[in-house]
C-alpha cells in the first residue's frame, strides 16, 4: 500500500462523495419541509404567543414566506460556499455552534467506542477460546444483560448509585460551573463529568463487539490455515494473536466503522440525560424547534463523517487483509 | 384630577384569593440574619437563547433576565411596587400616563439610566417588537421626556392606568438606549449578553450548559444588596436527571413544574426541600378544553354543556394535578384580583345528566354505544396536558363520545389547531398575565387572523361578547372595569366557547438552603435581590 496509491484512492472517493452529499442535502431539506410547523411556530410556542403581524414579520425576516424551491436554492447556494447559515433559534451562525458541540460528542464517542472496542474484542476472544465454559457463560451473560438494558435506564441507575447515594460523581453537565477551575483542575473536572456518560455508552456498545468477536473467533479457529499453523507447531498464543485475531477482526472493524458513522445520532439519549452539550442533544433540540439550518448543518457534518470513516475503514481493511486492494 | 394607581382593594382581594392556592410551601423564612455570599444554582429544562425581556415576553426569559434587567414596575403581595419607576399617574381621559423614574440608577456599564432609555425602549422595542406588547401598546403615539426622570406615555385611545401597571412587570423592561440605538435591534449582541440595572450583572452564556450572573457592586438598592455572589442557571433537559441533581444538592431551585409530578411529590415528603405553588400567583394557568365550533355538533351549546357535565374535575385535580389546583371558573383565575368573580354558572359532574342532554340534543347512542366521534389534539406542554387529554378521552367514552387523540410536538400542535383548524377538540394551557386585557380576552374575541397562537381560532363568534370585550378594554374606572369583566366571565361560563376546566399555578421545588424565596407573586421572574443561601 503506497502513499500515492492511497492518495489517488482518496481523491477518487472524495469526488464520488460530492453528488452523494448533494443528494442527501436536497433530500433532507425537502423531507424536513414536510414536517408540520416551522421555526417561527416553535419560537412563538416558546414565547407563549404573539400577534399575527409579529409572526408574519418574523417569517418574512427568516425567509420562510418564500416558496420551498426558492428556500432550497438559497440554502444550496450558501452551502456551496460552506456557509451553514444563521440559526434563528440560537441567534448565532450555525457553524459556530456545530464546531463547539462537535468536540464534546467526538470526545464522548471516541472514548466510549475505543473502550467498548478494546474491552469487547478482548472479552470476546477470551470467551471464544474457552467456548461453553463457565468463563464464556459469565462473559456472554454479562454482554447480553448490557445489550438488553436501555441506555436511559442504565444512565439513570448509574446516576442514582454514584451521584445520589454515594455522592462520588457529578450528576451531569460538562464542568462544575460554580467552581471556576482552570488548567489541570479543569481537565480533571471534565474527566470526572465524563466518567458516567462514557461508561454508559461503552457498556452498551461493548456487548456488540463482544458477541461479534466471539462468533468471529470461533469461526476463524476452524479454518484450514489455523489448522496448518497449529500442525507446523505454532504456540497457542502465537496462533491466537497472529492467525486468528487478525482475521477475526475484519467483521468487527466493519462494525466499528458503522458505529462511528452513527456518532452523532448514537449519543442523543446519553447526552440528554447527562446534560452534555453535544451534537446528539443539539439534533434533538433542533428537531423540536424546527431549526432547519442547524439540522441541515448537522446532517451535512454527519454525511462528511460517514464518508471519511468509510474511507478509513477501507484503508484498515486493506491493511488487515492483504487480499483486498485499493482500487 | 389625576387618578392614582394604588387601588389597594384589587390587591387585597388578590391576596385573599391566593391564600387558598398557596399549598404546603412554607412562607418566607422567619426573620433570620441573612448571610452574604454564595452561589444559587437554578434548574432550567430548556434553553432560552434570547436573553432580552424587551424582545421576548416569556417566563423562561424573565427567569434569567429578571435578575439582570429590571422593569419599571414590579408586583409584590401588597400590590404594585416601583422598581425603575417611583410613581405613576394618569390624566382623567386616560390619554397620558406620567411615570416618574428612579434617580441615581446606573446601567451595568456605568452609564446613567434616564428617560431617554424608556422612551427609546417603548417606541422601538415594546411597541413594534415585543410579543403581547404590540397589542397592548397599539395606541401608544409617543413617549415624551419632560425631564431626564419623567416619562409621559401619550396614547391616541384611552389606556386604563390599572392595565398599564398590571402589564409593566412583564412588558416594561427598558434596554440601554446607548447600546441599541442605530443597531439592528433583533441582531444586537446584547440580546444574548444583557446589560441592565439589576442586582446581578451578566457574565457568561455557555450554550447548552449554563448562564452565569454575578453580584452588581453598584446596585441602586445599596451595598447591602444583593446577598448572593452569583446565580448559575443550568440547562438539564432530562427531568429524572434533574431530580437526581436536586437530590444530590447540585441545584437549589427547580421552578415552573420542571420536574415530573412523581418527583415533585417525592420531594414534598423529604426533609430539606420546600415544595409548593406560592410565588406563582401571577403565573396561574388554566387547563382547558377547546372546541372547534366549525363542527356543527360542537356548535350546539347543549353538547358543550353535556361535555362539561361529563368531566369529573375534582378527580382530575386529585390524580393529575396531585391536588395542586382548583376548579376553573371562567377565563379569569381566582388570583385575578377585583376582575375575578366566582358568581358564575357551574357544571357539576353528572354523567347521567350529560347522557340525557346529548340524547335531547339529537345525538343518541348508536348500537355500539357511540354517539359521535371527535379528533382531539392535546398540547405537548408536559405531563398535565397529556394526562388531561387522556382523562378527557376516557371521560367522554363514558358518556358515549369516542375521542381519538392526535399527538404532535409544539409546532405541529400550533399549526393543527391555530392555523389549519384541523381538530374537533383540543386541550392546552392558558396562562393568565395579571390583567385580562393582556392575553386573555383574545381567546374569546373573534377576528384574530388565522395562525395566531393562543387566540380565538375556534370559530366562535359572538357580537355581544366582542362588544363587551371592547368596552371593558377602554373602561378607565377600575370598579366599572371589574364589573365589565365579571359580566364577561358570566357570559363565558354560560356559552362555553372554551372550558377553562382547571386553574393551576406552577410548582417549585426549592432547597431549604435558600431563604427569602417565593416572597412575591411572580417570584421566579423577579430580581432576587433579597435571596440568600445558607453556607
Amino acid at each position: 500500500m503506497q502513499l500515492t496509491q492511497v492518495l489517488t484512492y482518496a481523491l477518487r472517493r472524495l469526488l464520488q462523495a460530492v453528488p452523494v452529499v448533494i443528494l442527501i442535502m436536497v433530500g433532507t431539506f425537502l423531507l424536513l419541509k414536510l414536517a408540520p410547523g416551522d421555526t417561527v411556530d416553535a419560537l412563538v410556542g416558546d414565547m407563549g404567543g404573539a400577534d399575527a403581524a409579529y409572526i408574519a414579520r418574523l417569517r418574512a425576516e427568516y425567509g420562510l414566506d418564500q416558496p420551498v424551491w426558492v428556500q432550497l436554492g438559497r440554502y444550496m447556494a450558501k452551502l456551496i460556499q460552506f456557509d451553514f447559515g444563521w440559526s434563528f433559534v440560537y441567534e448565532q451562525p450555525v457553524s459556530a455552534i456545530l464546531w463547539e458541540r462537535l468536540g464534546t460528542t467526538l470526545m464522548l464517542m471516541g472514548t466510549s467506542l475505543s473502550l467498548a472496542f478494546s474491552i469487547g474484542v478482548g472479552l470476546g476472544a477470551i470467551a471464544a477460546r474457552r467456548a461453553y465454559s463457565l468463563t464464556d457463560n459469565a462473559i456472554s451473560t454479562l454482554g447480553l444483560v448490557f445489550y438488553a438494558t436501555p441506555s436511559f435506564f442504565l444512565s439513570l441507575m448509574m446516576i442514582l448509585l454514584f451521584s445520589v447515594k454515594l455522592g462520588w460523581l457529578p450528576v451531569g453537565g460538562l464542568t462544575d460551573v460554580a467552581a471556576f477551575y482552570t488548567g489541570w483542575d479543569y481537565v480533571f473536572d471534565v474527566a470526572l463529568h465524563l466518567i458516567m456518560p462514557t461508561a454508559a455508552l461503552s457498556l452498551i456498545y461493548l456487548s456488540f463487539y463482544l458477541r461479534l468477536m466471539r462468533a468471529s473467533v470461533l469461526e476463524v479457529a476452524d479454518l484450514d490455515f489455523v489448522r496448518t499453523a497449529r500442525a507446523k507447531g505454532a504456540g497457542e498464543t502465537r496462533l491466537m494473536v497472529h492467525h486468528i485475531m487478525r482475521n477475526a477482526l475484519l467483521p468487527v472493524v466493519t462494525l466499528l466503522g458503522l458505529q462511528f458513522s452513527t456518532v452523532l445520532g448514537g449519543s442523543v439519549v446519553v447526552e440528554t440525560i447527562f446534560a452534555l452539550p453535544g451534537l446528539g442533544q443539539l439534533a434533538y433540540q433542533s428537531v423540536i424547534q424546527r431549526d432547519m439550518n442547524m439540522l441541515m448543518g448537522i446532517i451535512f457534518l454527519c454525511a462528511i463523517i460517514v464518508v471519511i470513516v468509510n474511507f478509513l475503514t477501507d484503508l484498515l481493511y486493506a491493511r488487515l487483509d492483504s487480499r483486498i486492494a485499493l482500487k | 384630577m389625576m387618578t392614582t394607581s394604588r387601588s389597594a382593594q384589587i390587591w387585597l382581594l388578590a391576596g385573599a384569593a391566593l391564600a387558598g392556592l398557596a399549598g404546603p410551601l412554607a412562607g418566607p423564612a422567619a426573620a433570620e440574619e441573612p448571610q452574604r455570599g454564595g452561589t444559587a444554582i437554578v434548574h432550567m429544562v430548556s434553553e432560552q437563547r434570547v436573553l432580552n425581556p424587551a424582545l421576548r415576553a416569556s417566563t423562561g426569559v424573565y427567569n434569567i433576565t429578571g435578575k439582570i434587567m429590571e422593569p419599571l414596575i414590579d408586583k409584590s403581595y401588597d400590590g404594585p411596587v416601583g422598581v425603575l419607576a417611583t410613581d405613576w399617574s394618569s390624566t382623567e381621559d386616560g390619554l397620558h400616563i406620567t411615570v416618574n423614574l428612579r434617580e441615581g440608577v446606573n446601567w451595568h456599564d456605568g452609564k446613567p439610566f434616564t428617560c431617554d432609555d424608556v422612551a427609546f425602549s417603548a417606541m422601538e422595542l415594546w411597541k413594534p417588537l415585543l410579543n403581547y406588547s404590540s397589542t397592548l401598546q397599539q395606541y401608544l403615539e409617543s413617549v415624551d421626556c419632560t425631564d431626564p426622570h419623567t416619562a409621559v406615555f401619550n396614547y391616541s385611545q384611552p389606556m386604563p392606568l390599572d392595565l398599564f401597571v398590571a402589564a409593566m412587570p412583564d412588558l416594561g423592561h427598558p434596554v440601554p438606549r446607548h447600546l441599541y440605538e442605530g443597531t439592528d435591534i433583533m441582531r444586537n449582541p446584547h440580546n444574548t449578553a444583557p446589560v441592565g440595572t439589576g442586582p446581578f450583572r451578566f457574565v457568561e452564556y455557555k450554550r447548552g450548559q449554563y448562564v452565569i450572573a454575578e453580584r452588581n457592586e453598584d446596585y441602586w438598592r445599596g451595598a447591602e444588596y444583593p446577598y448572593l455572589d452569583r446565580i448559575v442557571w443550568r440547562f438539564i433537559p432530562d427531568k429524572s436527571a434533574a431530580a437526581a441533581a436536586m437530590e444530590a444538592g447540585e441545584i437549589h431551585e427547580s421552578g415552573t413544574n420542571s420536574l415530573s409530578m412523581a418527583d415533585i411529590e417525592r420531594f414534598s415528603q423529604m426533609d430539606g426541600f420546600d415544595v409548593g405553588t406560592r410565588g406563582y400567583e401571577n403565573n396561574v394557568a388554566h387547563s382547558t378544553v377547546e372546541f372547534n365550533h366549525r363542527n356543527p355538533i360542537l356548535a350546539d351549546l347543549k353538547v358543550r354543556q353535556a361535555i362539561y357535565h361529563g368531566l369529573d374535575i375534582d378527580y382530575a385535580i386529585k390524580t393529575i394535578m396531585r391536588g395542586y389546583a382548583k376548579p376553573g371558573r371562567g377565563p379569569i383565575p381566582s388570583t385575578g384580583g377585583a376582575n375575578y368573580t366566582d358568581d358564575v354558572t357551574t357544571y357539576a359532574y353528572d354523567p347521567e345528566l350529560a347522557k340525557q342532554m346529548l340524547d335531547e340534543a339529537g345525538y343518541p347512542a348508536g348500537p355500539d354505544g357511540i354517539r359521535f366521534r371527535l379528533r382531539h389534539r392535546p398540547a405537548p406542554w408536559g405531563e398535565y396536558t397529556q394526562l388531561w387529554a387522556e382523562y378527557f378521552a376516557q371521560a367522554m367514552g363514558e358518556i358515549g363520545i369516542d375521542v381519538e387523540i392526535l399527538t404532535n410536538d409544539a409546532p405541529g400542535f400550533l399549526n393543527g389547531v391555530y392555523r389549519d383548524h384541523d381538530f374537533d377538540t383540543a386541550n392546552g394551557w392558558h396562562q393568565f398575565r395579571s390583567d385580562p386585557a393582556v392575553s386573555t380576552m383574545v381567546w374569546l374575541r373573534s377576528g384574530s387572523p388565522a395562525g395566531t397562537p393562543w387566540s380565538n381560532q375556534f370559530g366562535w363568534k359572538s357580537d355581544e361578547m366582542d362588544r363587551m370585550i371592547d368596552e371593558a378594554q377602554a373602561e378607565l374606572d377600575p370598579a366599572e372595569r371589574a364589573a365589565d369583566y365579571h359580566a364577561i366571565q358570566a357570559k363565558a361560563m354560560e356559552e362555553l366557547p372554551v372550558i377553562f376546566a382547571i386553574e393551576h399555578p406552577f410548582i417549585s421545588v426549592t432547597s431549604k438552603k435558600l431563604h427569602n424565596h417565593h416572597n412575591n407573586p411572580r417570584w421566579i421572574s423577579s430580581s432576587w435581590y433579597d435571596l440568600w443561601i445558607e453556607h
Side-chain angles (χ1 to χ4, degrees), chain B residues 190-201:
Chain B
H190 294 290
N191 291 339
T192 47
V195 174
T197 60
F200 298 91
R201 62 171 85 221

Side-chain angles (χ1 to χ4, degrees), chain A:
Chain A
M1 196 160 60
Q2 278 149 7
L3 191 64
T4 44
Q5 195 190 357
V6 173
L7 282 179
T8 340
Y9 179 69
L11 192 71
R12 212 183 47 249
R13 287 287 294 262
L14 189 72
L15 287 177
Q16 283 170 347
V18 170
V20 174
V21 171
I22 291 177
L23 253 170
I24 290 174
M25 296 310 280
V26 172
T28 39
F29 188 94
L30 297 175
L31 257 175
L32 288 173
K33 280 287 164 195
L34 285 178
D38 57 23
T39 312
V40 173
D41 289 314
L43 272 180
V44 168
D46 262 8
M47 277 188 251
D51 52 275
Y54 181 84
I55 292 171
R57 202 185 41 248
L58 274 184
R59 205 158 262 137
E61 194 190 333
Y62 296 173
L64 293 169
D65 52 345
Q66 304 288 326
V68 171
W69 61 269
V70 174
Q71 293 182 38
L72 175 65
R74 282 182 183 172
Y75 184 80
M76 293 311 286
K78 275 201 261 170
L79 194 65
I80 287 171
Q81 305 157 43
F82 285 97
D83 175 1
F84 294 107
W86 183 269
S87 163
F88 299 113
V89 171
Y90 285 85
E91 294 291 346
Q92 271 193 329
V94 167
S95 52
I97 299 165
L98 285 182
W99 201 238
E100 206 182 285
R101 297 295 183 99
L102 184 65
T104 310
T105 301
L106 283 185
M107 187 157 63
L108 181 65
M109 286 302 281
T111 34
S112 312
L113 275 180
S114 31
L115 266 178
F117 181 79
S118 43
I119 299 176
V121 163
L123 285 178
I126 293 173
R129 290 314 284 162
R130 317 232 159 104
Y132 312 110
S133 70
L134 189 67
T135 323
D136 176 29
N137 281 339
I139 292 176
S140 297
T141 312
L142 206 69
L144 204 63
V145 168
F146 286 128
Y147 176 72
T149 312
S151 54
F152 79 89
F153 184 74
L154 188 62
S155 306
L156 286 174
M157 287 303 114
M158 288 171 83
I159 290 181
L160 204 63
L161 180 63
F162 294 108
S163 303
V164 179
K165 295 284 173 236
L166 297 171
W168 292 349
L169 293 170
V171 172
L174 196 58
T175 54
D176 185 353
V177 189
F180 297 100
Y181 288 123
T182 49
W184 282 109
D185 285 341
Y186 177 79
V187 174
F188 181 71
D189 186 42
V190 171
L192 207 61
H193 279 82
L194 283 177
I195 291 179
M196 277 199 292
T198 309
L201 259 182
S202 49
L203 280 178
I204 286 157
Y205 284 130
L206 183 143
S207 48
F208 289 97
Y209 295 106
L210 193 161
R211 292 162 65 80
L212 195 63
M213 189 64 188
R214 181 177 176 278
S216 184
V217 166
L218 280 179
E219 196 187 311
V220 174
D222 276 348
L223 294 181
D224 288 345
F225 71 88
V226 179
R227 217 172 299 151
T228 314
R230 187 175 279 127
K232 283 164 85 180
E236 275 305 305
T237 315
R238 186 179 162 78
L239 205 62
M240 188 65 194
V241 174
H242 283 261
H243 298 276
I244 301 180
M245 287 278 265
R246 184 164 172 168
N247 288 288
L249 268 177
L250 279 173
V252 185
V253 166
T254 317
L255 183 70
L256 183 67
L258 281 175
Q259 286 201 329
F260 207 89
S261 305
T262 62
V263 57
L264 308 182
S267 52
V268 174
V269 173
V270 167
E271 282 181 11
T272 304
I273 289 180
F274 289 100
L276 287 176
L279 282 171
Q281 199 203 86
L282 185 70
Y284 171 68
Q285 294 288 334
S286 302
V287 173
I288 292 180
Q289 291 160 335
R290 300 287 189 276
D291 194 349
M292 276 289 284
N293 285 350
M294 185 67 80
L295 270 174
M296 295 294 288
I298 294 172
I299 287 163
F300 186 76
L301 213 56
C302 285
I304 298 294
I305 288 182
V306 170
V307 169
I308 294 174
V309 169
N310 270 335
F311 172 67
L312 293 177
T313 317
D314 285 351
L315 287 190
L316 204 58
Y317 252 66
R319 185 86 189 81
L320 284 171
D321 187 340
S322 44
R323 285 170 299 177
I324 298 171
L326 298 176
K327 272 186 202 149

Side-chain angles (χ1 to χ4, degrees), chain B residues 237-250:
Chain B
D238 186 79
K239 289 186 173 194
S240 310
M246 190 95 204
E247 215 174 327
E250 284 187 26

